[in-house]
Amino acid sequence: MKNLVVIPAYKPDEALISLAQRVRELGYELLTVDDGSGEAYEEIFEKVSRWGKVLRHEENRGKGAAIKTALAYIEKEAADTDGVGIMDADGQHLPEDMARLFEEVLKHEMSLVLGVRNVGKDMPFRSRAGNGITRMIFRLVTGVAVSDTQTGLRAFDSGLIGRMGEIPGERYEYETNVLLALAKEKVPIVEVKIKTIYRDAENSSSHFHVIRDSFLIYKNILKFTLASLSSFLLDFVLFTIGTKLLAGIPYGVQYSNVLARLISGYYNYHMNTSHVFHRKKSVKTAGGYAALAVGILICNSLVLELYRKVFSLSPYPAKLLTEITLFLVSYGVQNRIIFSEKPLQRGRDQ
């Protein structure tokens, strides 16, 4: 089995040289991508080139872009590759752990294998905090539990190369997008416990920019919720207007609720197909969404009455609590059922 290790590198130090040497000693092909490090780092990459091919970006384009450059090269120039591994350039990952990941790739065809770190007190605070938040949101969005969403040590079957190259993202958000896309497409995610080496308490060797790169990561996750939140606001405004116009009419509150749900429901469906899940409108998705809308509408009215009658709340607080109660249910069904992708069906010979 021919395995190839990709190392995206931006302004690396001498650790990259010993890392490249050890990867080759273990019998793996090596492909390093210089992501616009500049002339000051040419000597390091020259030494690394003794152990494998070095590709170069003229300017810094980001970790995701570097990985995609490597994947495109493998598809064109190294099509006989069986397994692809990705590891960071700063020496935080042991090549011996990559060997363990490749063993799992062999056992689990068409799977993504993650080298997961111990997310405990030994992990620098900024990494631990970011990992915890992303892990929680990731499980909410996909229903898949991943222990370490930000690990840079990954391996996968070459049959996934084409799909990996299609996933959007140029910088650190790319790695999160990969997890989101493959989890949604029902690609198995396998975890392997690894050792991780931190040079200091702040993990200063990392080029992760907390504000910029956190925004890029969470932007793609939070986009899933914005359509539902804006739909809720539209629903609430329409409900408020309706109750004012239909005040004194029997069942005026219920009529206002139904009308508001119908209008905001169509708006939500349009936003989800066009801007969130990027799926074309179809009879299947429209039918599934309509069925969900009816179910949510029934539950909405029942829960609204529950809050009004049992808890003696006025219509507006009751409406607010109703929407909060049903938000996660509606979102989960849309994300995991109605707009879910078909399981990825790709192999080495496809």
Side-chain angles (χ1 to χ4, degrees), residues 268-279:
N268 186 250
Y269 173 72
H270 170 74
M271 293 297 291
N272 284 341
T273 54
S274 302
H275 303 291
V276 179
F277 301 105
H278 301 290
R279 299 287 299 278

Side-chain angles (χ1 to χ4, degrees), residues 178-249:
V178 166
L179 293 179
L180 286 167
L182 298 190
K184 192 173 181 60
E185 293 166 9
K186 307 299 188 295
V187 173
I189 298 176
V190 180
E191 297 188 346
V192 176
K193 293 289 185 182
I194 63 170
K195 295 180 181 179
T196 306
I197 303 167
Y198 297 106
R199 303 202 178 171
D200 51 55
E202 297 302 322
N203 193 21
S204 58
S205 64
S206 173
H207 293 287
F208 183 88
H209 296 272
V210 175
I211 296 177
R212 182 195 70 189
D213 293 316
S214 292
F215 171 75
L216 290 173
I217 290 172
Y218 295 123
K219 176 191 70 174
N220 290 282
I221 297 177
L222 293 175
K223 189 171 63 174
F224 285 117
T225 66
L226 289 179
S228 295
L229 289 174
S230 60
S231 178
F232 156 71
L233 292 175
L234 176 62
D235 185 30
F236 192 81
V237 169
L238 292 174
F239 175 77
T240 301
I241 295 173
T243 54
K244 296 294 185 183
L245 294 177
L246 301 179
I249 297 177

